[in-house]
Amino acid sequence: MTQLALERHKRASNPGCLRSANKIKSQKSNKSVSIMVNCVRQPKSPWTQLTTAIRSRVRAKARKVQCTVAALKKQVISAIPILNWFANYDIRSCLVGDVAAGFTVGILNIPQGMAYGVLSGVEAINGLYASFFPVIIYSSLCTSQHAAVG
């Protein structure tokens, strides 16, 4: 085998190995010859190490996932807890108190939101938007049935 062919083989070999035994064909006799190729391990950058670790964790989690209707329902309910509360909600005993509490919070939230809007230098309607949407989002995604945002 010529020196040039050996150098080409060293460059094409796996750079992640310390030593590897590779078989290449000799140009003279067409026989496979086993040679040892020394490779220098290149240090991985922190970004490469991070992405490799994340990929391996995601692949491990993906192997455990079961694609069934029950598993999908469990994942959706764990992501949006209000769906679990609605399934167990007793309308007869809780509806009247919850409606009264909703009106009370709404009556207090409207002037508070308007005041925050005026204090921050924007129109009062922007303060209402800023006070309305966080309450809706928090009450549907939080893990507590008793939400107080103010």
Side-chain angles (χ1 to χ4, degrees):
M1 178 180 292
T2 64
Q3 186 68 23
L4 182 63
L6 188 61
E7 289 297 320
R8 266 192 242 147
H9 179 71
K10 282 183 181 179
R11 277 186 256 133
S13 65
N14 184 4
C17 68
L18 227 28
R19 285 182 167 259
S20 65
N22 294 312
K23 291 188 176 185
I24 58 172
K25 288 191 175 184
S26 174
Q27 293 176 350
K28 294 180 183 175
S29 63
N30 284 335
K31 292 182 181 177
S32 285
V33 178
S34 180
I35 61 168
M36 295 298 289
V37 178
N38 289 327
C39 300
V40 177
R41 183 178 288 270
Q42 298 292 329
K44 292 183 179 178
S45 69
W47 179 252
T48 305
Q49 292 174 354
L50 178 67
T51 55
T52 304
I54 290 172
R55 281 187 193 134
S56 65
R57 288 179 185 165
V58 167
R59 286 182 185 136
K61 293 273 185 183
R63 287 186 199 114
K64 295 178 183 178
V65 173
Q66 298 176 355
C67 296
T68 62
V69 175
L72 178 64
K73 182 179 175 183
K74 183 179 176 183
Q75 288 294 326
V76 170
I77 288 176
S78 70
I80 306 172
I82 198 167
L83 297 176
N84 190 22
W85 303 339
F86 281 148
N88 300 324
Y89 188 74
D90 186 18
I91 294 176
R92 289 187 182 194
S93 66
C94 297
L95 186 64
V96 174
D98 287 343
V99 168
F103 279 128
T104 304
V105 170
I107 289 169
L108 293 173
N109 199 14
I110 290 172
Q112 180 184 10
M114 291 172 65
Y116 281 142
V118 171
L119 283 174
S120 64
V122 295
E123 295 181 19
I125 191 73
N126 293 333
L128 284 175
Y129 293 148
S131 67
F132 176 73
F133 289 112
V135 173
I136 296 298
I137 292 170
Y138 183 76
S139 64
S140 61
L141 297 178
C142 73
T143 57
S144 173
Q145 292 179 358
H146 309 288
V149 179

